């Protein structure tokens, strides 16, 4: 039964909702009301940094010429960028640009900022991961697989630091395949690649785009691609799914904001980034740097679900050793 008190409470609640929705609508209409800051959770010159700097002029134009600055915060696997975003104002003027390292470092306990403190706006890139070798040592994946099966514990695979996308790609492959292999961390993709070429390790797990020059020179070759279907550029290279392994992770690059940012503003930003993603200028960039092997776009809610699923997987894999 509705009493006067109940009706009064309900009316007050509706009024507060209306005020909140009105405030959010005003924030969208007034956005941006001050300069925007891109906090890049990586160093200058890398994939995340290039992504942010390519997007910057496009976003400046899309939001009416607002001034945007880019700040690189690579410390602690980018955790400083996430902390500053989470501790800043929830008004959409601080945008956190991050890669898959965000969730891998979270799973490893290296990053204190979880998905209760950051909200994904959108994913715009998914750089395909692959297993690379010196083709003079392993001409194809079958030869690598045969050697690994016949020599348990002797195969070494390198990649960037522990709990990196390279590392969790290795762990995922080892977990799915059952192969007895070991991981060796390096401080850069270049060092891992040099050790493959020098015969110190058998292979490296990393994304395709950083090794394109080595592939073109015939020095390195992908022998297994983490994908559902074979890529047009590499029609002869088998995929993980072909071998029955549900393993298609890539190195994602995405945009986050403070978790308390009004939903209407988050949706507005998602729409702006989706328009940027679909633009001829952005698609030309993606094609130029070989980030068009598969669809990069993913909306905020869908990407949040992906991050939550990956967090559970990576936590289990990292707990089970190197």
């Amino acid at each position: 039964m509705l009493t006067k008190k109940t009706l009064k409470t309900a009316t007050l609640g509706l009024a507060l909702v209306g005020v909140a929705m009105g405030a959010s609508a005003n924030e969208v209409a007034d956005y941006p009301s001050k300069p925007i800051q891109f906090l890049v959770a990586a160093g200058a010159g890398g994939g995340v940094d290039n992504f942010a700097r390519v997007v910057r002029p496009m976003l400046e134009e899309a939001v009416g010429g607002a001034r945007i600055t880019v700040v690189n915060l690579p410390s602690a696997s980018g955790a400083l960028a996430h902390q500053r975003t989470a501790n800043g104002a929830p008004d959409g003027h601080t945008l956190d640009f991050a890669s898959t390292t965000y969730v891998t470092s979270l799973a490893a306990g290296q990053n204190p900022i979880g998905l209760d403190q950051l909200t994904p706006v959108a994913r715009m890139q998914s750089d395909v991961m692959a297993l690379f070798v010196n083709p003079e040592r392993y001409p194809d994946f079958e030869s690598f697989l045969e050697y690994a099966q016949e020599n348990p514990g002797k195969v070494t695979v390198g990649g960037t630091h522990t709990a990196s996308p390279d590392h969790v790609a290795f762990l995922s492959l080892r977990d799915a395949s059952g192969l007895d292999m070991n991981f060796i961390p390096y401080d850069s993709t270049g060092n891992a690649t040099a050790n493959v070429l020098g015969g110190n390790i058998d292979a490296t797990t990393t994304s395709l785009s950083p090794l394109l020059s080595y592939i073109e020179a015939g020095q390195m070759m992908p022998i297994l691609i983490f994908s559902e279907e074979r890529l047009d550029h590499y029609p002869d290279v088998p995929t993980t799914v072909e071998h029955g392994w549900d393993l298609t992770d890539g190195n994602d690059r995405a945009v986050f904001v403070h978790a308390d940012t009004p939903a209407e503003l988050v949706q507005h930003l998602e729409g702006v980034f989706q328009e940027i993603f679909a633009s001829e200028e952005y698609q030309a960039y993606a094609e130029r740097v070989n980030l068009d092997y598969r669809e990069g776009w993913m909306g905020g809610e869908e990407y949040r679900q992906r991050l939550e699923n990956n967090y559970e997987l990576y936590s289990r894999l990292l707990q089970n050793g190197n």
Side-chain angles (χ1 to χ4, degrees):
M1 180 177 178
L2 289 175
T3 64
K4 289 184 178 181
K5 183 177 180 181
T6 304
L7 284 170
K8 184 177 180 181
T9 302
T11 302
L12 177 60
L14 288 171
L16 290 173
V17 169
V19 169
M21 290 183 67
S24 298
N26 288 336
E27 287 179 279
V28 171
D30 294 341
Y31 184 85
S33 59
K34 59 184 179 181
I36 297 170
Q37 192 171 62
F38 285 3
L39 301 184
V40 178
V48 182
D49 181 58
N50 290 336
F51 164 47
R53 292 179 189 277
V54 164
V55 166
R56 180 178 65 174
M58 301 182 197
L59 184 63
E60 285 178 337
E61 181 178 357
V63 296
R67 183 165 64 87
I68 299 175
T69 57
V70 177
V71 181
N72 294 92
L73 297 170
S75 300
S77 298
L80 183 56
H82 311 319
Q83 287 176 324
R84 287 197 183 180
T85 303
N87 293 332
D91 59 8
H93 289 83
T94 298
L95 302 178
D96 184 351
F97 282 70
S99 71
T100 294
T101 300
Y102 167 67
V103 70
T104 61
S105 63
L106 187 63
Q110 301 170 350
N111 174 13
I113 307 301
L115 283 168
D116 58 333
Q117 295 170 276
L118 294 180
T119 291
V121 175
R123 185 193 77 177
M124 294 179 71
Q125 297 177 0
S126 183
D127 204 348
V128 180
M129 303 296 289
L131 179 70
F132 290 88
V133 297
N134 181 338
E136 293 183 356
R137 184 165 185 177
Y138 298 106
D140 52 35
F141 181 64
E142 291 307 316
S143 60
F144 176 89
L145 183 62
E146 182 179 354
Y147 179 82
Q149 290 172 336
E150 293 178 354
N151 297 274
K154 292 187 177 181
V155 169
T156 52
V157 179
T160 51
H161 58 87
T162 301
S164 67
D166 294 358
H167 185 206
V168 296
F170 163 80
L171 293 174
S172 298
L173 176 60
R174 187 179 67 177
D175 181 67
S177 67
L179 294 174
D180 185 357
M181 305 182 292
N182 298 298
F183 184 81
I184 298 180
Y186 293 93
D187 60 2
S188 69
T189 298
N191 281 342
T193 303
N195 277 276
V196 174
L197 295 175
N200 299 318
I201 58 177
D202 294 278
T204 181
T205 44
T206 191
S207 49
L208 284 163
S209 58
L211 296 190
L212 289 176
S213 61
Y214 291 95
I215 297 171
E216 291 169 358
Q219 297 174 296
M220 296 283 284
M221 181 176 70
I223 56 171
L224 181 70
I225 292 176
F226 292 34
S227 177
E228 293 180 355
E229 299 178 353
R230 295 195 181 196
L231 303 183
D232 291 341
H233 292 74
Y234 306 98
D236 298 326
V237 181
T239 71
T240 46
V241 174
E242 284 180 41
H243 283 80
W245 305 325
D246 183 15
L247 175 54
T248 58
D249 284 352
N251 188 1
D252 298 341
R253 298 184 183 101
V255 183
F256 298 80
V257 292
H258 192 297
D260 293 335
T261 304
E264 289 82 0
L265 182 53
V266 175
Q267 291 169 4
H268 172 69
L269 286 169
E270 180 180 324
V272 171
F273 278 109
Q274 189 167 20
E275 289 181 6
I276 289 173
F277 177 84
S279 69
E280 291 185 9
E281 185 178 3
Y282 183 86
Q283 289 301 314
Y285 149 72
E287 183 177 359
R288 185 171 66 252
V289 295
N290 294 278
L291 289 168
D292 60 342
Y293 290 133
R294 65 181 172 200
E295 178 67 25
W297 176 261
M298 191 173 283
E301 283 304 313
E302 185 181 4
Y303 191 51
R304 174 186 289 277
Q305 186 60 56
R306 173 181 170 84
L307 288 169
E308 290 174 350
N309 292 340
N310 284 348
Y311 172 75
E312 293 181 6
L313 171 63
Y314 299 159
S315 296
R316 177 178 65 81
L317 294 174
L318 288 165
Q319 288 171 2
N320 290 340
N322 69 352

